[in-house]
Amino acid sequence: VQLQASGGGLVQAGGSLRLSCAGSGRTFSTYAMAWFSQAPGKERQFVAGIATLGGSSYYADSVKGRFTISRDNAENTVYLQMNSLKPEDTAVYYCAARYGSNWLLQPNSYAMDYWGKGTQVTVSS
């Protein structure tokens, strides 16, 4: 599975962005998908994840109520709608895939099968 993230940019605090991650291959729907973020000098951290068929989604506490993850398996695409953005959301955002869905209960950036290139999100105050 090859992944390509897009949609990052510069936005003022309180604004919104929508990230997209396009995947290749006919097995896209067998992979749960996730978004991770990495700020300068910090470790990559889990932001949100969604099960293979989109029935369950999971969020980091810091983004609950502000971010929404979704997927369209017909289009091999996963999305991250980011609302009420804060300066502390500034980071490079990566999409990632891992086979199955059980791992979403304890997401681990070191255990992902595939990564896309990151997209920069900058939130100004």
Side-chain angles (χ1 to χ4, degrees), residues 55-67:
S56 299
S57 56
Y58 303 81
Y59 297 91
D61 288 342
S62 60
V63 306
K64 282 180 181 176
R66 300 189 298 123
F67 291 9

Side-chain angles (χ1 to χ4, degrees), residues 36-101:
F36 290 80
S37 67
Q38 188 166 22
K42 295 188 177 181
E43 289 198 352
R44 197 168 295 188
Q45 60 182 7
F46 174 78
V47 175
I50 189 166
T52 55
L53 300 182
S56 299
S57 56
Y58 303 81
Y59 297 91
D61 288 342
S62 60
V63 306
K64 282 180 181 176
R66 300 189 298 123
F67 291 9
T68 302
I69 189 170
S70 61
R71 68 188 295 162
D72 183 342
N73 285 342
E75 298 294 329
N76 282 8
T77 303
V78 63
Y79 303 97
L80 185 68
Q81 179 66 44
M82 310 166 70
N83 299 329
S84 303
L85 282 161
K86 304 176 181 179
E88 50 264 44
D89 295 322
T90 295
V92 178
Y93 284 73
Y94 299 88
C95 61
R98 182 174 170 183
Y99 187 79
S101 294

